[in-house]
Amino acid sequence: ICQIEPCSIDCSADDKQDCVLGDWSPFSQCSECGGWQSRSRGIERHARNGGKPCNGTLDEFIRCPDRCSSNPDFVPCEFDAWSSWSSCSEDCDDPCT
């Protein structure tokens, strides 16, 4: 058995609460050769009773500097030339059968 009673809510102007965003976290670390850094923040308090909603992003991204060119140990990735095609595994006269 359960008893429920409605709450009394007074939405007068004095009870308005604007949204409050939290502080930004520190930026994540960059990889040795560039990439992206990110940081985030949360909502400390949601708007209530007609208060101003949150304005702004919760995540932020910035490009990391390309440090590869200044790293003396950096070796760029390189692909070899394509190899020859292998022979067909099926009869190639009619590929639709």
Side-chain angles (χ1 to χ4, degrees), residues 7-88:
C7 297
S8 61
I9 299 175
D10 180 11
C11 293
S12 65
D14 293 339
D15 291 336
K16 286 184 180 182
Q17 290 184 356
D18 295 338
C19 173
V20 176
L21 293 173
D23 294 331
W24 286 106
S25 67
F27 273 106
S28 61
Q29 295 293 314
C30 284
S31 66
E32 195 168 312
C33 289
W36 293 91
Q37 285 181 286
S38 64
R39 67 179 184 169
S40 61
R41 62 183 173 177
I43 297 174
E44 294 289 321
R45 183 179 67 209
H46 289 273
R48 293 183 54 196
N49 300 330
K52 294 178 185 175
C54 291
N55 186 13
T57 62
L58 299 179
D59 297 297
E60 187 173 57
F61 301 89
I62 59 172
R63 185 89 175 149
C64 293
D66 182 6
R67 294 184 228 152
C68 298
S69 57
S70 62
N71 181 349
D73 298 325
F74 173 70
V75 178
C77 176
E78 294 181 6
F79 290 103
D80 286 333
W82 285 103
S83 62
S84 300
W85 284 102
S86 63
S87 59
C88 289

